[in-house]
Amino acid sequence: MRITVLGGAMLAGAALSPLAMAQSAPIEFESDLEAVTVIAAFHDTRAGTDSEDVLYEVTLDNRFEKVLQNGLQIGGRLTLRGQRDHPARPGFLGRFGGAPGPSGAYSGLSGEGSTRDTGARGQLEAAYLEFDGGYGELRIGRDRGAAARFFEGAPSALTHASISNAYLDPDGIKIIRTNHDLTGPSAKISYATPRILGLRAGASFTPDAEAAGLDRNVRDMSADLSDAVELALNLSRRLRDSGVRIDAGLAWSRAEIDFAGSSARDRVGTWSAGANLEFDSFEVGGSWIKSDNGFAGADYTAWEIGVATELADTEISLNYGEAEDDLAGLVGDGISLAARRDI
């Protein structure tokens, strides 16, 4: 559901000053409401795995925008989300009953036994001001960092229950996450350059990563993250001769760690890359991420590849991915064959 409101002042008179003309520019407001339900009834999982038959999410996304006479665009965003995910995996955090130990500073996964039983939650996922002009874009407030915003990867017909970067996980066993969301919706400042020949650069700084986001919960991890820096590049371009569209992303991040343990490093470092190629009749893409997880000998590595096409107005995708967390002692993989059709 989308609601658009144009607000502006009606000015009367034979002559209007430039200042009055600038003040009369309208404010555009847009609000989107989305509700998603994932039903996974009548499916079998390995013994000892508790599955959820019904999960759901509701999102209310509000945006406003005003363009000044000099071309500067001032905007803002306020996003509220409610979600019921797997009760043992709030914000992707997970304890799997293996070797005891802390959770990874990037992955959030641990080998300790799980005692979580989290019900439905609500969260302010975005609340920022944005200034966009000829010199680039500046954002201040609660938002994802540049590394997550510039992410590119494999196509999928599934929007919320895919094998990687899943918003909702009925079985609570997915550990593949490649979208390089280090700080979640914590308060930060971000800058992105104008796009030149399809290429754009971005940077973010988060003084204190404290958000308990629905998909990235950094508040409840073993290590506290601070002074997080993210650098990212994004390419979006269509080749004139072949007509192929290329979308690619490359990102690096680092954050200081506060953890009372001898195995912890001073900081966590993460690299990621991804790309998507769109041809006339199909799309193909993939993504990869590697993090030292903030501890010695604790690397987290994940990747995914996928291909999608459209047959008789139906999108069909095939995806495969793997992940390994040395700190938690976990190895996971997944394969997905999905179809989506507008009715």
Side-chain angles (χ1 to χ4, degrees), residues 206-220:
T206 306
D208 183 17
E210 40 67 44
L214 298 186
D215 305 311
R216 173 61 171 164
N217 186 350
V218 290
R219 186 188 65 187
D220 295 335

Side-chain angles (χ1 to χ4, degrees), residues 67-290:
V67 180
L68 302 185
Q69 192 177 36
N70 60 6
L72 178 64
Q73 177 179 301
I74 301 176
R77 190 168 195 166
L78 183 70
T79 303
L80 302 171
R81 291 175 60 200
Q83 183 188 86
R84 184 181 182 273
D85 199 358
H86 195 282
R89 299 294 305 280
F92 197 78
L93 298 181
R95 298 180 177 181
F96 291 88
S103 59
Y106 174 78
S107 69
L109 305 177
S110 170
E112 292 183 349
S114 177
T115 58
R116 299 181 183 274
D117 189 11
T118 305
R121 300 185 299 147
Q123 177 70 24
L124 179 64
E125 290 282 317
Y128 62 81
L129 289 175
E130 179 181 85
F131 305 89
D132 193 355
Y135 295 100
E137 173 195 85
L138 180 68
R139 290 187 181 181
I140 303 175
R142 295 179 66 90
D143 187 23
R144 298 186 305 161
R149 287 173 53 199
F150 284 17
F151 168 78
E152 301 290 350
S156 176
L158 297 176
T159 60
H160 283 63
S162 55
I163 61 171
S164 70
N165 311 313
Y167 296 145
L168 300 172
D169 180 7
D171 297 320
I173 59 176
K174 293 178 180 178
I175 66 170
I176 305 172
R177 189 165 67 89
T178 62
N179 63 355
H180 203 154
D181 190 359
L182 177 67
T183 57
S186 302
K188 57 177 58 68
I189 181 169
S190 299
Y191 169 76
T193 67
R195 195 174 292 277
I196 302 175
L197 298 179
L199 186 64
R200 194 180 198 190
S204 297
F205 175 71
T206 306
D208 183 17
E210 40 67 44
L214 298 186
D215 305 311
R216 173 61 171 164
N217 186 350
V218 290
R219 186 188 65 187
D220 295 335
M221 295 194 309
S222 300
D224 295 328
L225 304 182
S226 61
D227 296 334
V229 177
E230 303 174 49
L231 303 177
L233 292 173
N234 181 269
L235 175 67
S236 181
R237 189 171 183 180
R238 185 177 297 276
L239 302 181
R240 182 178 302 177
D241 295 337
S242 62
V244 177
R245 181 178 181 85
I246 301 176
D247 294 295
L250 177 67
W252 168 86
S253 67
R254 189 189 71 180
E256 304 295 325
I257 293 180
D258 183 11
F259 178 78
S262 58
S263 62
R265 302 177 184 266
D266 294 333
R267 59 183 61 91
V268 54
T270 306
W271 283 92
S272 68
N276 181 279
L277 302 179
E278 181 181 344
F279 298 86
D280 290 336
S281 58
F282 69 97
E283 292 182 57
V284 61
S287 55
W288 164 90
I289 194 167
K290 183 177 180 64

